[in-house]
Amino acid sequence: MALVYYLTHINIEFGARSLLAGECERVGIRKPLVVTDAGVRVAGVLQQVLDALPASLQGPVYDRTPSNPTEAAVREATALYRAHGCDGLIAVGGGSSLDCAKGVAIAATHPGPLVTYATIEGGSGRITSAVAPLIAVPTTAGTGSEVARGAIIITDDHRKLGFHSWYLLPRAAICDPELTLGLPPGLTAATGMDAIAHCMETFMAAPFNPPADGIALDGLERAWAHIERATRDGSDREARLNMMSASVQGALAFQKGLGCVHSLSHSLGGQNPKLHHGTLNAVFLPAVIRYNSEAESVRKDRRIERMARAMGLASAADVAPAIHAMNERLGLPEGLAAMGVDRSVFPRVIDGAMADHCHKTNPRLASAEDYRAMLEASM
């Protein structure tokens, strides 16, 4: 059965943060905990969001979210939430802050350790409607966590695990491209390639969901046409708007499922939390596209050819090389070795990838040998 489920209240326009107070009232948040990170605060972006809140909604701020959110950070933020008697969350930042806030939404309202609610531990069904209400304010255009039902968090046992439930959908997404105008070029490129990876990988994924396919293809077309412009000139408002739309679209679409790109990125990112998720996705994409091109469903539906058309390329054979060339033009690492990855971690990465929640929705089920070949091709 194909489930098509789009319920997040999305505001996407320049100046959308002015709607934040009204959205708090709509969803019943009276005393929010704001979850963010130090970089968003230092850049002045957090203050732009706080300035949109009346004094009655000003409350505690947790700004210690790490670059890859951890169970320890969730515990720390949850303690602040409870100490101040908060009744909801406003997440301001990239995917890390948004996912950390989703972890707090679970931990503040559910008993036991966070890992109890991880998808691969059978925890999705344990997440209930008791979760704290969350409003997401993304400051990057990449992860799409503002409209996604899941969060990726490194648990205390050093696994990078997914937490998924429709109850985790943010009650509102405030998508204001103005908050991304100061994003540095490197982060613009890495998060932008994350959005492209979402659009491409979910379009190739096995489950049947035509609405998701259409959303993903349009998102890919927008992102491919605008990522270089946004990276080269951060003040390009048209490029920023289209990249934010592509980010939202990729995440709306990936309710269909993802695949080997994310299985590998989640696993390797759990081994080394300093590696940027979007950059890893960009590096893994060419190898996975080549691997997926042999999948029966991909060939039957001409999915690589359709992505090539959205990217303005001549043929399916051009897609993987075009991704590699785009990474180079954007200044991203040419491979895992340039990111400091050593082959000694491959066995652990492969084990993690095969256990990851994205593994089974790849259009071609990968073996340990297949994953090793993809890792070698991405070095």
Side-chain angles (χ1 to χ4, degrees):
M1 181 182 70
L3 177 63
V4 180
Y5 195 86
Y6 294 115
L7 289 179
T8 300
H9 195 119
I10 305 167
N11 301 282
I12 180 166
E13 61 180 322
F14 282 92
R17 62 188 182 277
S18 65
L19 304 171
L20 184 55
E23 290 294 80
C24 285
E25 181 179 1
R26 184 180 67 82
V27 304
I29 296 177
R30 294 177 177 82
K31 192 166 187 181
L33 170 69
V34 176
V35 177
T36 188
D37 64 61
V40 172
R41 183 190 281 277
V42 170
V45 177
L46 173 64
Q47 194 59 50
Q48 293 181 60
V49 176
L50 295 178
D51 287 346
L53 290 172
S56 60
L57 287 171
Q58 298 284 346
V61 174
Y62 178 77
D63 65 358
R64 291 169 53 84
T65 304
S67 57
N68 282 283
T70 62
E71 187 173 357
V74 169
R75 271 198 305 274
E76 196 172 53
T78 299
L80 189 62
Y81 182 98
R82 289 172 172 161
H84 287 266
C86 296
D87 61 3
L89 297 138
I90 299 173
V92 183
S96 296
S97 294
L98 273 56
D99 284 6
C100 185
K102 290 179 183 179
V104 177
I106 299 170
T109 54
H110 290 68
L114 188 63
V115 71
T116 305
Y117 304 95
T119 301
I120 67 170
E121 299 292 341
S124 292
R126 301 185 189 111
I127 301 173
T128 73
S129 60
V131 296
L134 167 65
I135 295 176
V137 187
T139 62
T140 65
T143 72
S145 186
E146 65 273 9
V147 295
R149 72 186 189 279
I152 305 297
I153 297 170
I154 299 175
T155 52
D156 289 341
D157 57 9
H158 307 295
R159 290 183 295 167
K160 194 170 187 177
L161 300 184
F163 297 77
H164 297 85
S165 168
W166 296 114
Y167 295 121
L168 287 179
L169 278 174
R171 304 290 181 86
I174 306 292
C175 302
D176 187 345
E178 194 166 341
L179 299 177
T180 71
L181 293 178
L183 201 65
L187 199 52
T188 298
T191 55
M193 286 304 299
D194 194 15
I196 285 173
H198 291 156
C199 291
M200 299 185 81
E201 189 163 40
T202 199
F203 184 69
M204 293 184 288
F208 179 79
N209 191 326
D213 288 342
I215 292 169
L217 269 188
D218 184 82
L220 172 60
E221 184 174 6
R222 289 176 188 275
W224 193 257
H226 292 92
I227 187 170
E228 287 185 89
R229 283 175 52 182
T231 301
R232 183 172 57 249
D233 178 7
S235 65
D236 185 328
R237 293 170 69 88
E238 181 184 17
R240 290 296 192 184
L241 175 62
N242 278 278
M243 289 307 299
M244 181 152 278
S245 180
S247 176
V248 169
Q249 288 173 258
L252 287 174
F254 71 45
Q255 64 164 260
K256 177 188 171 189
L258 292 164
C260 291
V261 170
H262 280 74
S263 296
L264 287 165
S265 292
H266 291 157
S267 183
L268 182 51
Q271 294 294 322
N272 184 351
K274 294 181 180 179
L275 298 175
H276 187 273
H277 175 71
T279 304
L280 286 173
N281 284 347
V283 169
F284 284 131
L285 258 176
V288 175
I289 288 170
R290 290 188 176 99
Y291 176 75
N292 284 348
S293 66
E294 299 301 318
E296 182 180 353
S297 62
V298 169
R299 298 178 69 173
K300 177 183 176 182
D301 294 336
R302 302 180 63 81
R303 292 191 178 268
I304 311 295
E305 289 89 339
R306 291 160 70 185
M307 291 193 300
R309 286 198 298 271
M311 298 161 72
L313 303 173
S315 71
D318 296 325
V319 174
I323 294 288
H324 192 276
M326 177 65 82
N327 290 342
E328 185 176 5
R329 291 198 301 275
L330 294 174
L332 295 174
E334 63 176 299
L336 298 176
M339 300 174 72
V341 176
D342 186 87
R343 287 178 172 84
S344 63
V345 302
F346 282 8
R348 295 192 299 277
V349 172
I350 292 166
D351 287 346
M354 295 192 72
D356 189 76
H357 64 274
C358 295
H359 169 67
K360 291 185 178 180
T361 49
N362 198 70
R364 185 182 174 196
L365 195 62
S367 66
E369 292 74 19
D370 293 327
Y371 275 124
R372 181 174 291 278
M374 287 181 253
L375 284 163
E376 286 288 354
S378 303
M379 282 296 284

